[in-house]
Amino acid sequence: MKAVIFDKPGLENLRVVEDVPIPEVKEGEVLIKVMMAGVNPIDYFVVTGSREAKPLPHIPGAEFAGIVESVGPNVTNVQRGNKVVVYPRLFDGTCDMCLVFKEMLCRNGGVIGVTCNGGFSEYVKVPSDNVFKIDEGMDWELAASMPVSALTAYHALNSASLSLNNYVVVVGASGNTGMFATQLARLVFSAKVIGVSRKKWVERFGAFMVVEKEHALEKIKEVTNGKMADVVIDPLGAETFLNSLELLKPNGKLVTYGVLTGSTVELPIFKIYNQQLSIIGTTGGSRRELTDLLNQYKWLQVKTWKKFKLEETKTAIESLSSPERDGRIFLDLTAQ
Ligand SMILES: [Zn+2]
């Protein structure tokens, strides 16, 4: 099979190998023919070495959808030919976190494409507990946005315990997770969503107002009559973090789950306690949340910027931080 592989960290070390052996499925495992893979910051961090990849040589790719090619013994939830998405967290199912439906915090957990080979490949082998059937009618780009982009956004919103009609600011609203945070905040929580972005199309995804970051403070003050936002969702990291705190009302909540622009800031502790602000960290989401999303996919849409071939993976990953990027980046294997 054809796969994207690197032997040591570094974008320059990515190569496509044509004759990688197709993995053999054992008990409880499923072999998937990958049709579409989403490209996310986590892939960038894995390939460049800021997250340790195992095993080496390594096939990256945390987010993908495809068709079941074969199943190992004792797999009952899917069969050959099913259209599926793959929950990307590895988990043991028995630790204290797994028992309260927080598989993404499993004590013995990992991430597909990070701690085992991932989906930037024609075929990938995964545990059957990670495989979820999807509707025949779901398009591949949306399917390949469910396990990381949409799930991360949904879990972040759930963690903020929103009330109806809250003002929710989504920073990076045109990004991978931002476009889903915008849609889900509106659809699931009936929030009044303000997108921080230069892209006007974010309005079509459910934001009643889209503001550029330079004007966010004044516009949000204006529209909330000086009260400010109940919740800010900020996946961007250091560059926007302190500004995001300024957008909150007293008792407001900032949800963070990404560091694409850096991971260290100097925190204004006085402001945090004096205003009773909450900073909530989230990571991924649970399988239960993924099934929730799959049940309501018909109301969701994805904005695609570019689709690349496996051979173009290096460009695809580099394009994550391209100033021209306007929507999601995928590796399209439907023609392989
Ligand atoms: Zn566990």
Side-chain angles (χ1 to χ4, degrees):
M1 68 173 186
K2 199 189 282 186
V4 176
I5 286 189
F6 62 94
D7 301 295
K8 55 179 180 182
L11 272 170
E12 67 283 4
N13 299 322
L14 278 181
R15 59 200 167 91
V16 170
V17 177
E18 298 271 350
D19 56 354
V20 179
I22 293 178
E24 210 172 291
V25 283
K26 303 196 181 85
E27 181 158 344
E29 293 179 334
V30 177
L31 184 70
I32 292 164
K33 180 172 168 49
V34 180
M35 300 304 280
M36 191 74 67
V39 179
N40 291 289
I42 191 170
D43 306 311
Y44 172 81
F45 293 131
V46 167
V47 173
T48 54
S50 46
R51 285 193 70 157
E52 189 189 358
K54 285 182 193 162
L56 284 175
H58 188 77
I59 303 173
E63 184 172 41
F64 50 90
I67 297 167
V68 174
E69 178 74 14
S70 63
V71 299
N74 297 325
V75 171
T76 52
N77 59 329
V78 288
Q79 57 192 33
R80 183 179 155 82
N82 286 160
K83 205 169 156 174
V84 294
V85 295
V86 175
Y87 176 72
R89 300 294 177 131
L90 297 170
F91 56 96
D92 59 14
T94 55
C95 78
D96 55 340
M97 292 294 120
C98 286
L99 291 179
V100 292
F101 304 106
K102 295 187 189 300
E103 299 96 332
M104 62 285 187
L105 298 177
C106 178
R107 305 277 182 177
N108 303 300
V111 181
I112 293 174
V114 182
T115 54
C116 68
N117 282 327
F120 292 175
S121 174
E122 283 182 297
Y123 295 93
V124 59
K125 177 181 88 162
V126 297
S128 61
D129 286 346
N130 290 64
V131 184
F132 291 85
K133 265 191 269 192
I134 57 173
D135 256 25
E136 283 298 322
M138 193 169 183
D139 75 61
W140 287 120
E141 287 150 61
L142 186 59
S145 297
M146 288 288 154
V148 175
S149 295
L151 180 60
T152 303
Y154 185 48
H155 178 57
L157 290 165
N158 279 333
S159 304
S161 313
L162 285 161
S163 305
L164 287 181
N165 282 317
N166 275 177
Y167 280 102
V168 175
V169 174
V170 179
V171 179
S174 60
N176 285 4
T177 57
M179 69 175 82
F180 288 100
T182 301
Q183 296 177 74
L184 291 163
R186 175 91 187 87
L187 282 167
V188 181
F189 300 96
S190 301
K192 296 195 275 278
V193 185
I194 301 163
V196 179
S197 172
R198 298 191 190 287
K199 316 290 185 192
K200 287 305 274 184
W201 58 259
V202 171
E203 282 177 0
R204 295 202 312 273
F205 279 56
F208 80 91
M209 190 169 96
V210 181
V211 296
E212 298 191 4
K213 64 179 174 197
E214 296 79 4
H215 308 299
L217 186 68
E218 90 195 66
K219 294 274 189 190
I220 291 164
K221 200 176 271 180
E222 193 181 302
V223 79
T224 60
N225 292 321
K227 292 198 165 79
M228 306 306 284
D230 299 275
V231 170
V232 175
I233 305 286
D234 184 349
L236 299 183
E239 197 176 290
T240 50
F241 194 89
L242 294 177
N243 286 334
S244 292
L245 282 180
E246 297 298 323
L247 306 178
L248 288 173
K249 71 175 196 184
N251 221 30
K253 298 166 192 164
L254 171 61
V255 186
T256 174
Y257 53 81
V259 290
L260 197 57
T261 67
S263 75
T264 308
V265 291
E266 201 166 305
L267 267 189
I269 297 172
F270 175 75
K271 181 180 172 69
I272 292 166
Y273 73 72
N274 189 47
Q275 296 290 302
Q276 283 199 197
L277 304 180
S278 301
I279 297 173
I280 301 170
T282 63
T283 180
S286 66
R287 290 189 302 162
R288 197 155 76 167
E289 287 170 317
L290 179 59
T291 55
D292 269 4
L293 282 174
L294 295 176
N295 285 332
Q296 51 197 337
Y297 81 93
K298 284 183 181 162
W299 289 274
L300 297 173
Q301 51 181 331
V302 60
K303 163 92 171 152
T304 300
W305 180 48
K306 280 186 182 174
K307 291 187 274 184
F308 292 91
K309 296 184 178 135
L310 266 192
E311 289 78 2
E312 303 166 310
T313 301
K314 179 171 173 286
T315 313
I317 293 177
E318 282 170 340
S319 303
L320 278 173
S321 31
S322 160
E324 286 90 54
R325 175 149 84 93
D326 189 18
R328 289 217 68 189
I329 298 166
F330 293 100
L331 297 180
D332 184 353
L333 288 93
T334 53
Q336 301 268 346

